[in-house]
Amino acid sequence: MARPILIAPSILSADFARLADEVVAVEQAGADLLHIDVMDGHFVPNLTVGPPIVKALKNVTKLPLDVHLMMTNADAFIPDFAKAGADYLTVHVEACPHLHRTIQSIKERGVKAGVTLNPATPVQTLEEILPDVDLVLIMSVNPGFGGQQFIASCLNKVRTTRQMLDRIGSRALLEVDGGVKADNAAAVLEAGADVLVAGSAIFSGRDYAATISALRMTKRVDDPVHR
Ligand code: DX5
Ligand code: ZN
């Protein structure tokens, strides 16, 4: 059976002065998750939001909050993000020397645990942790900014990760983040992604519903059910 295609708008490209309205708008436009990018100015060269914004957004949307931690010391903030209402907390393998402990710490708080990789980090670094995670995020840009160009070589990483997940019978979501647009969504889905993160593709247009359905309606080229 075909897996559902989930769309996660990244609020990084939203109008921050009208953030609650923007979130309500993407929820009404058919989003499945809300992707929140947390940047610490150290692991990545940018600063964004922290637990108070996650908490505030929890009050304005029923969408699951998919929180992407681009932080050097994620461990110290996991309790606060869990309390704030994160549904998924995703950490970078490059920033977590005790990745197993970090993933357990997320799950102990009743939050779904995700793991993510920068474009130059091999997928083989996931091998040992894969059975423990609820989500795998393959970065298709170098994290830090919205509106960057999709790095096509990341498609192979998506394909390999899909095989690794299938091999162990994992039901973890496979998410792709960075430069995803209607014109490359088919290739990303064909490689095996379940969740498409899209920031600038959604928020730079006027019709959020049209963009979200254009991303979602992209056919899986390898799926006979959808041919
Ligand atoms: C990049 C962030 C992404 C970003 C995606 O560091 O992790 O979530 O918002 O933005 P677009 O879709 O514009 O590449
Ligand atoms: Zn992100």
Side-chain angles (χ1 to χ4, degrees):
M1 219 179 75
R3 294 183 303 273
I5 296 167
L6 305 175
I7 308 297
S10 163
I11 61 163
L12 189 61
S13 294
D15 178 352
F16 271 54
R18 302 173 39 254
L19 192 52
D21 293 345
E22 292 274 69
V23 169
V24 169
V26 289
E27 182 169 11
Q28 287 173 353
D32 300 289
L33 299 158
L34 190 72
H35 188 83
I36 302 174
D37 287 305
V38 177
M39 303 187 186
D40 69 350
H42 189 255
F43 179 65
V44 289
N46 201 356
L47 283 168
T48 55
V49 302
I53 302 290
V54 173
K55 189 174 176 198
L57 293 180
K58 193 74 186 171
N59 293 325
V60 303
T61 182
K62 289 194 164 43
L63 291 176
L65 304 182
D66 169 30
V67 181
H68 176 191
L69 299 178
M70 285 158 274
M71 304 177 69
T72 308
N73 59 343
D75 290 296
F77 290 90
I78 285 167
D80 288 349
F81 280 110
K83 254 183 254 146
D87 293 277
Y88 288 85
L89 279 174
T90 296
V91 295
H92 272 263
V93 299
E94 301 87 356
C96 296
H98 307 290
L99 184 58
H100 183 270
R101 179 185 293 152
T102 303
I103 294 297
Q104 301 313 317
S105 160
I106 294 170
K107 296 202 320 188
E108 276 162 14
R109 290 171 170 82
V111 179
K112 294 195 174 75
V115 69
T116 182
L117 297 172
N118 285 337
T121 305
V123 289
Q124 285 70 25
T125 56
L126 294 174
E127 187 88 46
E128 305 301 330
I129 201 67
L130 225 43
D132 294 309
V133 300
D134 303 292
L135 180 146
V136 179
L137 169 57
I138 302 293
M139 289 306 300
S140 43
V141 296
N142 291 294
F145 303 94
Q148 301 182 82
Q149 199 175 351
F150 184 84
I151 300 171
S153 59
C154 294
L155 282 176
N156 274 335
K157 294 174 68 178
V158 179
R159 236 171 255 127
T160 309
T161 307
R162 169 52 63 202
Q163 288 164 3
M164 290 165 73
L165 289 170
D166 289 350
R167 205 178 305 133
I168 62 168
S170 169
R171 299 173 64 87
L173 293 174
L174 179 50
E175 180 174 58
V176 176
D177 181 10
V180 175
K181 315 234 171 288
D183 64 5
N184 58 23
V188 177
L189 293 167
E190 182 271 329
D194 301 300
V195 188
L196 304 179
V197 176
S200 52
I202 292 173
F203 288 104
S204 68
R206 277 161 185 264
D207 190 342
Y208 298 167
T211 310
I212 288 172
S213 67
L215 289 165
R216 195 198 307 284
M217 289 310 148
T218 310
K219 307 277 189 283
R220 282 179 194 276
V221 290
D222 64 340
D223 180 356
V225 179
H226 285 77
R227 263 185 201 150

